[in-house]
Amino acid sequence: MPYLDPDFEVLIHDQAFFGADALTLNIALLSVIKLKIPEPTDPQISSWEAGSQNLLSNARTKLAKRTTAEKLQAAVSDAARFHLQCAALMDALRSEAPDLHDKLSTAIASRRRQLEFAGPSGGSTPNGILNTEIANLKDAIKDAAPNLSPENVDQLVFGTVSEWIMQCPLDFPNVQ
């Protein structure tokens, strides 16, 4: 054809040309799951806090080991907010994607069992422990749900770790 460059080539590749992982990765990228979960409102948080004083007390005690007195209330408030948003996301997954919900629940329960049995990893400092547990849980969630959006992964990770802090599987050593 006179309007094509003389060096123009047509190449045809079938699936065998690409690695097996390339097809799987591309399919996963096409089907990213992203659920829009609104942040809990102040009245929702206040209502939850009113009935959860023991959990908040646990959070205050533990988070005081890793933050200053001036930042403690903000850290506890963040933990409550993260926990409620995670619960809303898990509820949405239960109704919108039950298989994915089951995979995530299994992965989270497995990490919790390990934490309860072996204790926290990440060294002897509260920040080291917290960062390691966040990274380990994030990896477990990504393995269980590789097509879950990064935003939803973070919501699950921070909400779950907040729950662990409030419900006792995760604690930090006393700062000297």
Side-chain angles (χ1 to χ4, degrees):
M1 292 188 216
Y3 51 84
L4 292 179
D5 187 284
D7 293 331
F8 181 79
E9 291 183 57
V10 174
L11 300 174
I12 299 174
H13 299 286
D14 65 1
Q15 288 180 355
F17 177 79
F18 302 98
D21 292 341
L23 183 60
T24 304
L25 178 62
N26 285 331
I27 289 171
L29 291 175
L30 290 174
S31 61
V32 171
I33 296 173
K34 182 177 182 178
L35 298 176
K36 184 69 177 157
I37 305 298
E39 286 206 19
T41 63
D42 289 337
Q44 289 170 325
I45 293 171
S46 295
S47 174
W48 181 83
E49 287 176 342
S52 304
Q53 289 303 309
N54 288 343
L55 296 176
L56 293 171
S57 177
N58 284 342
R60 270 187 216 90
T61 300
K62 292 175 185 180
L63 292 173
K65 297 175 186 179
R66 66 159 304 275
T67 192
T68 63
E70 297 80 28
K71 295 180 181 177
L72 180 58
Q73 187 52 45
V76 173
S77 294
D78 285 345
R81 185 176 304 278
F82 295 153
H83 169 68
L84 291 173
Q85 191 167 39
C86 177
L89 177 56
M90 288 300 281
D91 286 344
L93 285 167
R94 184 179 297 113
S95 63
E96 300 293 325
D99 290 342
L100 185 58
H101 173 270
D102 291 345
K103 287 180 185 179
L104 289 165
S105 294
T106 300
I108 291 168
S110 176
R111 287 293 314 148
R112 182 183 178 121
R113 278 191 305 276
Q114 182 176 346
L115 180 61
E116 289 172 337
F117 185 74
S121 52
S124 59
T125 66
N127 288 340
I129 290 168
L130 187 59
N131 284 312
T132 300
E133 292 304 328
I134 286 170
N136 290 343
L137 182 59
K138 187 176 278 196
D139 289 344
I141 287 173
K142 286 180 178 180
D143 286 346
N147 56 342
L148 190 62
S149 76
E151 179 184 354
N152 288 158
V153 169
D154 282 348
Q155 289 168 332
L156 289 173
V157 169
F158 288 107
T160 300
V161 169
S162 294
E163 179 182 321
W164 290 349
I165 288 170
M166 290 185 275
Q167 292 183 350
C168 290
L170 180 58
D171 199 353
F172 311 110
N174 290 321
V175 178
Q176 305 273 334

